[in-house]
Amino acid sequence: MRLVIIGAGFAGMYAALSAARLRDIKGVTPKELDIVLVAPEPTLVVRPRLYEPKPETLTAPLLDVLDAVDVTYVRGTADSIDTACRSIVVAMPDGQRTSIVYDRLVVATGSRLFRPNVSGLAQHGFSVDSLEDAVALDRHLKSLADRPASNARSTVVVAGGGFTGIEAATEMPTRLRDALGNDAETRVIIVDRSEAIAPDMGAGPRPVIEEALRKLGIETRLGVGVAAIDETSATLSDGERIETATVIWAAGMRAAPLTAQVPGERDSVGRLVVDRELRVVGVPAVFATGDAAKAYCDDDGNYALMSCQHATRMGAFAGNNAVAELLGEAPTAYHQKAYVTCLDLGEAGALFTRGWDRKIEHVGVDAKKIKQEINTVWIYPPRPVRAAALASADPQRVTDL
């Protein structure tokens, strides 16, 4: 038997560990049940931190932990899925293509930044969506010091006033000063089509966010979007032209394109609709998890979000349930009632809320300490020690943040 997992993000990593855990509990050997993880690199990109400087350091090795739990790693990019034949095709680094047959498949391909057809975005826009994008932005910011002083050089426009946009924007004053010097007159502007900043956070936390933006001197343009970008400016949908050499796009996510090859129902952002055990509805032998899946996370009608908080736990359930199905064991319904947010606000601290109603629990320095612990400890892979790695992926394990 073979379980194939596509993706080495938070969901894919925990799917592999959880699958290995149940295999181990049931006394099944790796020869009897091969667990295969396919990804371009055997590393976890710590994506929630890519708004920070030095993004090239924000990865964690996975090969040792996969080896410790007897998961087979295949280096390559899955570029096609044939659910009828139960196989995938992987493009290998040497240019060769190979087919891998599966008995069960877990699609953990994550999400991608939505890049609309905005004039100049592809040529002149930056993002913190992927490691490569974040490294390119970091190099660009450092290179600004080599340019003549101008309004464009010292101004950053962030398109998107949601979670990612706010974290990127509130980090920019510090990063611009590091690049241009403490005496540089810098400007950071958030542009969002919503009428209020952080629309998904709700009215409760908004005053804290607005005060942080005021403290940092960050401007907002609300109810408008970025309509065009060139080398030295961004033009907004209301006609305003802002001189800037740096536009960071942070406006919306979509499930990775590979999910379109699974003949299941999808939501408006491309996520595969799954049942409570994370099986893709109507597609035998295929599970989806993390940002690739639209899943209820409780009995109150809340869906899991595109976040590592949900992806880690979803991954654990998907890997467990795929193996359970292969071994004739009862699957476990995914559930994740606890929900918190911890929004980094740069030098203004952070904001920590609990529950879907976003009840504020910590702000400022106290919340910043929690954010730093999340970013440097909690979201990293477990130690490459078999017992610890397997225990970390127990789907019933609840971390009380």
Side-chain angles (χ1 to χ4, degrees), residues 11 47 110-111 253 255-256 271 289-293 305-308 311 314:
R47 197 177 182 194
S111 58
M253 304 296 292
R271 297 183 299 178
T289 189
D291 290 0
L305 302 179
M306 288 179 163
S307 70
C308 72
M314 289 175 75

Side-chain angles (χ1 to χ4, degrees), residues 73-140:
Y73 168 66
V74 174
R75 186 190 299 268
T77 301
D79 62 10
S80 69
I81 300 173
D82 186 334
T83 57
C85 294
R86 298 194 180 186
S87 67
I88 69 170
V89 174
V90 179
M92 311 299 281
D94 61 3
Q96 299 295 312
R97 291 161 62 85
T98 187
S99 179
I100 302 176
V101 175
Y102 64 81
D103 295 287
R104 292 295 182 274
L105 176 69
V106 174
V107 179
T109 47
S111 58
R112 304 289 184 272
L113 179 67
F114 175 59
R115 291 178 168 89
N117 188 25
V118 170
S119 177
L121 175 59
Q123 297 86 354
H124 307 295
F126 294 90
S127 85
V128 292
D129 182 51
S130 68
L131 182 62
E132 294 77 13
D133 290 346
V135 168
L137 172 62
D138 194 57
R139 289 173 178 167
H140 167 78

Side-chain angles (χ1 to χ4, degrees), residues 174-196:
T174 301
R175 295 180 72 174
L176 284 172
R177 286 198 304 272
D178 288 344
L180 303 178
N182 290 329
D183 296 330
E185 294 186 9
T186 62
R187 190 181 183 199
V188 179
I189 305 166
I190 298 175
V191 178
D192 195 280
R193 291 188 179 275
S194 298
E195 297 297 329

Side-chain angles (χ1 to χ4, degrees), residues 251-270:
M253 304 296 292
R254 298 290 186 273
L258 192 65
T259 57
Q261 296 190 26
V262 178
E265 182 185 352
R266 279 169 285 277
D267 69 1
S268 60
V269 296

Side-chain angles (χ1 to χ4, degrees), residues 21-36:
R21 172 184 174 275
L22 185 57
R23 180 182 63 184
D24 196 64
I25 289 172
K26 295 302 175 181
V28 178
T29 68
K31 286 186 177 181
E32 294 170 311
L33 172 53
D34 188 16
I35 300 170
V36 177

Side-chain angles (χ1 to χ4, degrees), residues 73-349:
Y73 168 66
V74 174
R75 186 190 299 268
T77 301
D79 62 10
S80 69
I81 300 173
D82 186 334
T83 57
C85 294
R86 298 194 180 186
S87 67
I88 69 170
V89 174
V90 179
M92 311 299 281
D94 61 3
Q96 299 295 312
R97 291 161 62 85
T98 187
S99 179
I100 302 176
V101 175
Y102 64 81
D103 295 287
R104 292 295 182 274
L105 176 69
V106 174
V107 179
T109 47
S111 58
R112 304 289 184 272
L113 179 67
F114 175 59
R115 291 178 168 89
N117 188 25
V118 170
S119 177
L121 175 59
Q123 297 86 354
H124 307 295
F126 294 90
S127 85
V128 292
D129 182 51
S130 68
L131 182 62
E132 294 77 13
D133 290 346
V135 168
L137 172 62
D138 194 57
R139 289 173 178 167
H140 167 78
L141 292 173
K142 291 174 180 176
S143 75
L144 293 174
D146 299 328
R147 303 187 183 196
S150 66
N151 290 334
R153 183 184 78 154
S154 58
T155 300
V156 172
V157 171
V158 178
F163 208 97
T164 301
I166 290 169
E167 291 196 323
T170 53
E171 193 73 19
M172 280 302 122
T174 301
R175 295 180 72 174
L176 284 172
R177 286 198 304 272
D178 288 344
L180 303 178
N182 290 329
D183 296 330
E185 294 186 9
T186 62
R187 190 181 183 199
V188 179
I189 305 166
I190 298 175
V191 178
D192 195 280
R193 291 188 179 275
S194 298
E195 297 297 329
I197 197 70
D200 293 338
M201 291 291 287
R206 190 165 295 127
V208 176
I209 298 169
E210 291 172 339
E211 176 57 29
L213 298 182
R214 283 192 291 270
K215 181 177 180 180
L216 296 172
I218 295 174
E219 305 170 43
T220 59
R221 299 288 189 276
L222 301 175
V224 296
V226 174
I229 305 168
D230 59 35
E231 287 185 325
T232 58
S233 72
T235 301
L236 307 189
S237 56
D238 63 357
E240 180 182 2
R241 181 178 178 274
I242 301 172
E243 294 181 73
T244 178
T246 311
V247 176
I248 302 172
W249 198 266
M253 304 296 292
R254 298 290 186 273
L258 192 65
T259 57
Q261 296 190 26
V262 178
E265 182 185 352
R266 279 169 285 277
D267 69 1
S268 60
V269 296
R271 297 183 299 178
L272 291 160
V273 176
V274 297
D275 65 16
R276 296 305 292 266
E277 285 81 34
L278 304 182
R279 302 180 194 89
V280 177
V281 175
V283 186
V286 179
F287 293 73
T289 189
D291 290 0
K294 181 180 182 180
Y296 280 112
C297 58
D298 56 33
D299 295 325
D300 301 321
N302 295 306
Y303 285 97
L305 302 179
M306 288 179 163
S307 70
C308 72
Q309 178 182 174
H310 286 104
T312 54
R313 192 161 165 82
M314 289 175 75
F317 277 89
N320 177 87
N321 289 346
V323 169
E325 201 168 84
L326 286 171
L327 300 182
E329 300 290 327
T332 305
Y334 163 61
H335 57 91
Q336 189 167 357
K337 192 167 184 178
Y339 173 58
V340 302
T341 60
C342 196
L343 179 67
D344 200 339
L345 296 170
E347 291 181 335

